[in-house]
Amino acid sequence: MKGSMNAVVKTQPGPGAELKKVSIPEPGPNQVLVKVKATSICGTDYHIYSWNKWAEKNINTPQIMGHELAGEVVELGEGVQSVEIGDFVSAETHIPCGHCYQCKTGLQHICVNMEILGVHTDGVFADYAVVDEVDIWKNDPAIPSEYATIQEPLGNAIDTIRAGEVSGKNILITGAGPAGLLSIQVAKAFGATTVIVSEPNEYRRNLAKKLGADHLIDPLNESLDDLVDEVTNGIGVDFVAEMSGNPIAINQGLKQITPGGTIALLGLPADEVELDLTSDLIFKGIDMIGVTGREMFKTWYIAKRLLKEKIIDIEPVITHRFPLEDFAKGMELMKSGNCGKIILLP
Ligand code: NAD
Ligand code: ZN
């Protein structure tokens, strides 16, 4: 497709990004061109925007930002077989190589040569975006675009909650950013009896309440020990979903688990974390599970069913909607933490 489009471009190293007119990209072999209907901001986008140490090491400029999207396929590259023009799609953002040991053994989401949409390639904060056929996910037409774009982070929540047995159990979620907030609904859908959420930010605790958390606590100013003792009759929680990446939260979470329980870690600590492995993990016989991305594509089928059947309601997670050109307002909100998911509409 010839012509130009609006795109949020990281033009150079350093903080910020610019709305620019750029050429509509052309899909290469086994790629498709998607007309973007909705996108959403992820913490990674904010890291790229604010230019933290990780972004400095990993991002080449100029590059279009963004990776969460929903849209319509408008052009097919050579050799595309499984996608048609007009398909309503979203995208898995891990781009697997297809050849490594992991890819060959059904573990594409942890491919050793993995690239990430909008991190290693041009992204989706634009009118149009190129997506690899292998990553295309066909949405159910009944799911609104603004929800369809959130299936990617919803998938993180699903994979984390799926890592343990939560049915009929008391669980703790540490961190109520978008990942933690989405996990509340997923945990309830998967049958968790009681969901405790620890989160220092009051705005986010209020969101967590709206989403169905049973108990909320500010872990920096109130006793999580006391609350868990009271809620679980001194037993401790069976499962912790660690959704903050904060070392205090990881340690607090480990201490609240009953022996034999599980902790699944999605949050990414910025540095190495000190743990008391002997007392908090080994002697308690705890399973510790690292979660990365979404299992391709098991997780996506679960997300589709939960949304289509309205088993979860993610509306309260969406706190702001902006036209694409107001992306900087979204980034400022991300900085404050006083937001859930922010939608950008081209
Ligand atoms: P976020 O930064 O918006 O949310 C983290 C929340 O943790 C914040 O609300 C913060 O106030 C809270 N927090 C800070 N200290 C805390 C403490 N001591 N106890 C409890 N909560 C505390 O991030 P998000 O978008 O919700 O994502 C959650 C985490 O998952 C981030 O670390 C993100 O980088 C990571 N992530 C990992 C993957 C993966 O594949 N493993 C994918 C996406 C996101
Ligand atoms: Zn691979």
Side-chain angles (χ1 to χ4, degrees), residues 252-276:
Q252 281 188 330
L254 272 174
K255 291 193 196 313
Q256 302 312 324
I257 307 178
T258 196
T262 303
I263 183 168
L265 304 151
L266 182 85
L268 302 173
D271 293 302
E272 290 179 6
V273 175
E274 198 169 311
L275 303 174
D276 184 346

mmCIF file of all heavy atoms in Angstrom, residues 252-276:
data_model
loop_
_atom_site.group_PDB
_atom_site.id
_atom_site.type_symbol
_atom_site.label_atom_id
_atom_site.label_comp_id
_atom_site.label_asym_id
_atom_site.label_seq_id
_atom_site.Cartn_x
_atom_site.Cartn_y
_atom_site.Cartn_z
ATOM 1 N N GLN A 252 8.349 -10.621 50.683
ATOM 2 C CA GLN A 252 7.102 -10.677 51.457
ATOM 3 C C GLN A 252 6.226 -11.814 50.947
ATOM 4 O O GLN A 252 5.635 -12.561 51.726
ATOM 5 C CB GLN A 252 6.338 -9.353 51.323
ATOM 6 C CG GLN A 252 6.872 -8.234 52.201
ATOM 7 C CD GLN A 252 5.963 -7.014 52.186
ATOM 8 O OE1 GLN A 252 5.290 -6.739 51.194
ATOM 9 N NE2 GLN A 252 5.943 -6.282 53.288
ATOM 10 N N GLY A 253 6.139 -11.943 49.624
ATOM 11 C CA GLY A 253 5.310 -12.990 49.027
ATOM 12 C C GLY A 253 5.756 -14.366 49.479
ATOM 13 O O GLY A 253 4.947 -15.187 49.924
ATOM 14 N N LEU A 254 7.076 -14.614 49.391
ATOM 15 C CA LEU A 254 7.612 -15.931 49.778
ATOM 16 C C LEU A 254 7.262 -16.277 51.215
ATOM 17 O O LEU A 254 6.937 -17.422 51.539
ATOM 18 C CB LEU A 254 9.134 -15.932 49.617
ATOM 19 C CG LEU A 254 9.681 -16.317 48.247
ATOM 20 C CD1 LEU A 254 11.181 -16.123 48.207
ATOM 21 C CD2 LEU A 254 9.321 -17.763 47.902
ATOM 22 N N LYS A 255 7.322 -15.292 52.097
ATOM 23 C CA LYS A 255 7.059 -15.544 53.523
ATOM 24 C C LYS A 255 5.586 -15.860 53.785
ATOM 25 O O LYS A 255 5.264 -16.469 54.809
ATOM 26 C CB LYS A 255 7.509 -14.342 54.359
ATOM 27 C CG LYS A 255 9.028 -14.201 54.372
ATOM 28 C CD LYS A 255 9.517 -13.239 55.420
ATOM 29 C CE LYS A 255 10.958 -12.797 55.210
ATOM 30 N NZ LYS A 255 11.929 -13.872 54.912
ATOM 31 N N GLN A 256 4.685 -15.435 52.896
ATOM 32 C CA GLN A 256 3.254 -15.661 53.137
ATOM 33 C C GLN A 256 2.765 -17.014 52.631
ATOM 34 O O GLN A 256 1.620 -17.390 52.865
ATOM 35 C CB GLN A 256 2.399 -14.555 52.467
ATOM 36 C CG GLN A 256 2.713 -13.141 52.922
ATOM 37 C CD GLN A 256 2.788 -12.999 54.431
ATOM 38 O OE1 GLN A 256 2.019 -13.648 55.149
ATOM 39 N NE2 GLN A 256 3.698 -12.171 54.918
ATOM 40 N N ILE A 257 3.621 -17.744 51.901
ATOM 41 C CA ILE A 257 3.166 -19.017 51.307
ATOM 42 C C ILE A 257 3.205 -20.135 52.337
ATOM 43 O O ILE A 257 4.188 -20.293 53.062
ATOM 44 C CB ILE A 257 4.052 -19.424 50.114
ATOM 45 C CG1 ILE A 257 4.142 -18.281 49.107
ATOM 46 C CG2 ILE A 257 3.506 -20.674 49.421
ATOM 47 C CD1 ILE A 257 5.046 -18.595 47.929
ATOM 48 N N THR A 258 2.166 -20.932 52.349
ATOM 49 C CA THR A 258 2.134 -22.099 53.214
ATOM 50 C C THR A 258 3.114 -23.144 52.641
ATOM 51 O O THR A 258 3.270 -23.221 51.416
ATOM 52 C CB THR A 258 0.680 -22.650 53.300
ATOM 53 O OG1 THR A 258 0.599 -23.540 54.405
ATOM 54 C CG2 THR A 258 0.246 -23.381 52.041
ATOM 55 N N PRO A 259 3.780 -23.936 53.483
ATOM 56 C CA PRO A 259 4.685 -24.957 52.951
ATOM 57 C C PRO A 259 3.977 -25.832 51.914
ATOM 58 O O PRO A 259 2.825 -26.221 52.108
ATOM 59 C CB PRO A 259 5.078 -25.762 54.195
ATOM 60 C CG PRO A 259 5.027 -24.743 55.298
ATOM 61 C CD PRO A 259 3.834 -23.865 54.964
ATOM 62 N N GLY A 260 4.685 -26.083 50.813
ATOM 63 C CA GLY A 260 4.091 -26.872 49.720
ATOM 64 C C GLY A 260 3.418 -26.011 48.668
ATOM 65 O O GLY A 260 2.971 -26.538 47.643
ATOM 66 N N GLY A 261 3.339 -24.709 48.920
ATOM 67 C CA GLY A 261 2.677 -23.810 47.973
ATOM 68 C C GLY A 261 3.577 -23.402 46.811
ATOM 69 O O GLY A 261 4.676 -23.931 46.634
ATOM 70 N N THR A 262 3.077 -22.456 46.027
ATOM 71 C CA THR A 262 3.759 -22.068 44.783
ATOM 72 C C THR A 262 3.847 -20.543 44.678
ATOM 73 O O THR A 262 2.911 -19.839 45.060
ATOM 74 C CB THR A 262 2.950 -22.571 43.559
ATOM 75 O OG1 THR A 262 2.796 -23.982 43.673
ATOM 76 C CG2 THR A 262 3.634 -22.251 42.240
ATOM 77 N N ILE A 263 4.967 -20.068 44.153
ATOM 78 C CA ILE A 263 5.059 -18.660 43.764
ATOM 79 C C ILE A 263 5.396 -18.605 42.279
ATOM 80 O O ILE A 263 6.296 -19.314 41.820
ATOM 81 C CB ILE A 263 6.091 -17.872 44.606
ATOM 82 C CG1 ILE A 263 6.078 -16.383 44.203
ATOM 83 C CG2 ILE A 263 7.504 -18.446 44.477
ATOM 84 C CD1 ILE A 263 6.839 -15.463 45.172
ATOM 85 N N ALA A 264 4.629 -17.823 41.517
ATOM 86 C CA ALA A 264 4.925 -17.610 40.100
ATOM 87 C C ALA A 264 5.344 -16.160 39.941
ATOM 88 O O ALA A 264 4.658 -15.253 40.405
ATOM 89 C CB ALA A 264 3.696 -17.911 39.254
ATOM 90 N N LEU A 265 6.488 -15.971 39.303
ATOM 91 C CA LEU A 265 7.069 -14.626 39.186
ATOM 92 C C LEU A 265 6.950 -14.105 37.765
ATOM 93 O O LEU A 265 7.540 -14.678 36.842
ATOM 94 C CB LEU A 265 8.554 -14.668 39.571
ATOM 95 C CG LEU A 265 8.885 -15.227 40.950
ATOM 96 C CD1 LEU A 265 10.262 -15.857 40.949
ATOM 97 C CD2 LEU A 265 8.830 -14.136 41.996
ATOM 98 N N LEU A 266 6.169 -13.039 37.606
ATOM 99 C CA LEU A 266 6.092 -12.348 36.310
ATOM 100 C C LEU A 266 6.897 -11.048 36.365
ATOM 101 O O LEU A 266 7.545 -10.663 35.396
ATOM 102 C CB LEU A 266 4.636 -12.031 35.952
ATOM 103 C CG LEU A 266 4.484 -11.359 34.589
ATOM 104 C CD1 LEU A 266 4.428 -12.398 33.472
ATOM 105 C CD2 LEU A 266 3.272 -10.438 34.523
ATOM 106 N N GLY A 267 6.830 -10.360 37.516
ATOM 107 C CA GLY A 267 7.501 -9.061 37.677
ATOM 108 C C GLY A 267 8.995 -9.171 37.434
ATOM 109 O O GLY A 267 9.617 -10.189 37.777
ATOM 110 N N LEU A 268 9.557 -8.146 36.832
ATOM 111 C CA LEU A 268 10.977 -8.154 36.464
ATOM 112 C C LEU A 268 11.767 -7.207 37.360
ATOM 113 O O LEU A 268 11.686 -5.993 37.192
ATOM 114 C CB LEU A 268 11.135 -7.710 35.008
ATOM 115 C CG LEU A 268 10.387 -8.541 33.963
ATOM 116 C CD1 LEU A 268 10.490 -7.876 32.589
ATOM 117 C CD2 LEU A 268 10.933 -9.950 33.907
ATOM 118 N N PRO A 269 12.537 -7.762 38.326
ATOM 119 C CA PRO A 269 13.363 -6.886 39.153
ATOM 120 C C PRO A 269 14.450 -6.224 38.295
ATOM 121 O O PRO A 269 14.961 -6.847 37.357
ATOM 122 C CB PRO A 269 14.012 -7.850 40.162
ATOM 123 C CG PRO A 269 13.244 -9.126 40.060
ATOM 124 C CD PRO A 269 12.660 -9.172 38.694
ATOM 125 N N ALA A 270 14.776 -4.984 38.626
ATOM 126 C CA ALA A 270 15.783 -4.261 37.839
ATOM 127 C C ALA A 270 17.183 -4.808 38.114
ATOM 128 O O ALA A 270 18.050 -4.765 37.243
ATOM 129 C CB ALA A 270 15.710 -2.774 38.172
ATOM 130 N N ASP A 271 17.405 -5.324 39.325
ATOM 131 C CA ASP A 271 18.732 -5.818 39.694
ATOM 132 C C ASP A 271 18.608 -7.207 40.313
ATOM 133 O O ASP A 271 17.514 -7.746 40.437
ATOM 134 C CB ASP A 271 19.364 -4.872 40.731
ATOM 135 C CG ASP A 271 19.653 -3.519 40.121
ATOM 136 O OD1 ASP A 271 20.396 -3.471 39.129
ATOM 137 O OD2 ASP A 271 19.095 -2.517 40.618
ATOM 138 N N GLU A 272 19.745 -7.755 40.761
ATOM 139 C CA GLU A 272 19.720 -9.037 41.455
ATOM 140 C C GLU A 272 18.939 -8.889 42.763
ATOM 141 O O GLU A 272 18.936 -7.810 43.359
ATOM 142 C CB GLU A 272 21.144 -9.496 41.751
ATOM 143 C CG GLU A 272 21.858 -9.889 40.467
ATOM 144 C CD GLU A 272 23.292 -10.342 40.674
ATOM 145 O OE1 GLU A 272 23.720 -10.461 41.841
ATOM 146 O OE2 GLU A 272 23.968 -10.564 39.670
ATOM 147 N N VAL A 273 18.294 -9.987 43.197
ATOM 148 C CA VAL A 273 17.458 -9.926 44.392
ATOM 149 C C VAL A 273 17.992 -10.905 45.435
ATOM 150 O O VAL A 273 18.319 -12.051 45.113
ATOM 151 C CB VAL A 273 15.993 -10.304 44.045
ATOM 152 C CG1 VAL A 273 15.124 -10.368 45.289
ATOM 153 C CG2 VAL A 273 15.424 -9.308 43.043
ATOM 154 N N GLU A 274 18.070 -10.475 46.682
ATOM 155 C CA GLU A 274 18.534 -11.346 47.761
ATOM 156 C C GLU A 274 17.335 -12.089 48.361
ATOM 157 O O GLU A 274 16.312 -11.477 48.668
ATOM 158 C CB GLU A 274 19.193 -10.482 48.839
ATOM 159 C CG GLU A 274 20.070 -11.289 49.763
ATOM 160 C CD GLU A 274 20.917 -10.373 50.639
ATOM 161 O OE1 GLU A 274 21.554 -9.451 50.106
ATOM 162 O OE2 GLU A 274 20.882 -10.593 51.855
ATOM 163 N N LEU A 275 17.465 -13.417 48.482
ATOM 164 C CA LEU A 275 16.380 -14.231 49.038
ATOM 165 C C LEU A 275 16.930 -15.131 50.138
ATOM 166 O O LEU A 275 18.078 -15.560 50.063
ATOM 167 C CB LEU A 275 15.781 -15.143 47.951
ATOM 168 C CG LEU A 275 15.223 -14.501 46.690
ATOM 169 C CD1 LEU A 275 14.811 -15.589 45.698
ATOM 170 C CD2 LEU A 275 14.022 -13.614 47.011
ATOM 171 N N ASP A 276 16.098 -15.458 51.137
ATOM 172 C CA ASP A 276 16.488 -16.439 52.137
ATOM 173 C C ASP A 276 15.994 -17.805 51.644
ATOM 174 O O ASP A 276 14.932 -18.287 52.049
ATOM 175 C CB ASP A 276 15.854 -16.071 53.491
ATOM 176 C CG ASP A 276 16.318 -17.022 54.589
ATOM 177 O OD1 ASP A 276 16.899 -18.084 54.262
ATOM 178 O OD2 ASP A 276 16.087 -16.699 55.766
#
